[in-house]
Amino acid sequence: GINAEYGGSIDAERSNITNLVQAHDPKGKRTIFVLTKVDLAEKNMANPTRVKKILEGKLFPMKALGYFAVVTGRGPKEDSIDTIRAYEEDFFSRSKLFRSGAMRASQMSTNNLSLAVSDCFWK
């Protein structure tokens, strides 16, 4: 499988990952798209349209089995997995992007991503 990750806080359209996925999995049968740092994207963005387009698979010229948004931590590298998970759950529970309809509940969180990876690649 291919895990295409984009940092939500950077200009992902300029990433080489889209070209690599297109070249190696043009039909999107082995790719799961992961938008990381969604908390930073929400903090720095006034309009949720861009995130919505990314998670609908409409912004990049590539296909994927699924599109997910995750939070990769608050910053301190010494944060435990439990601390990061709690931060992610708290963020998504109050997310303006989720409330605006830019994300579906099934697309949010590392837990949902893990379940999708398991379902897609280890049946």
Side-chain angles (χ1 to χ4, degrees), residues 6 13 18-19 21-22 26 57-63:
Y6 284 95
E13 288 89 343
T18 301
N19 295 335
V21 170
Q22 267 188 303
K58 296 180 179 175
L59 189 63
F60 303 117
M62 60 175 267
K63 295 177 182 166

Side-chain angles (χ1 to χ4, degrees), residues 44-77:
N44 296 326
M45 212 180 335
N47 187 345
T49 304
R50 181 173 176 269
V51 170
K52 183 173 175 57
K53 285 181 181 178
I54 290 171
L55 294 175
E56 289 176 343
K58 296 180 179 175
L59 189 63
F60 303 117
M62 60 175 267
K63 295 177 182 166
L65 292 169
Y67 297 82
F68 294 88
V70 301
V71 174
T72 52
R74 300 177 302 157
K77 291 180 180 180

Side-chain angles (χ1 to χ4, degrees), residues 28-98:
K29 294 184 183 253
R30 298 178 298 141
T31 301
I32 290 182
F33 183 95
V34 183
L35 183 65
T36 65
K37 302 177 186 176
V38 178
D39 54 334
L40 297 178
E42 181 173 292
K43 181 180 173 184
N44 296 326
M45 212 180 335
N47 187 345
T49 304
R50 181 173 176 269
V51 170
K52 183 173 175 57
K53 285 181 181 178
I54 290 171
L55 294 175
E56 289 176 343
K58 296 180 179 175
L59 189 63
F60 303 117
M62 60 175 267
K63 295 177 182 166
L65 292 169
Y67 297 82
F68 294 88
V70 301
V71 174
T72 52
R74 300 177 302 157
K77 291 180 180 180
E78 56 275 348
D79 277 357
S80 70
I81 296 294
D82 289 335
T83 300
I84 295 168
R85 185 176 297 136
Y87 173 73
E88 183 182 59
E89 287 175 14
D90 180 61
F91 168 76
F92 284 127
S93 72
R94 58 183 171 70
S95 170
K96 294 175 196 166
L97 289 168
F98 175 59

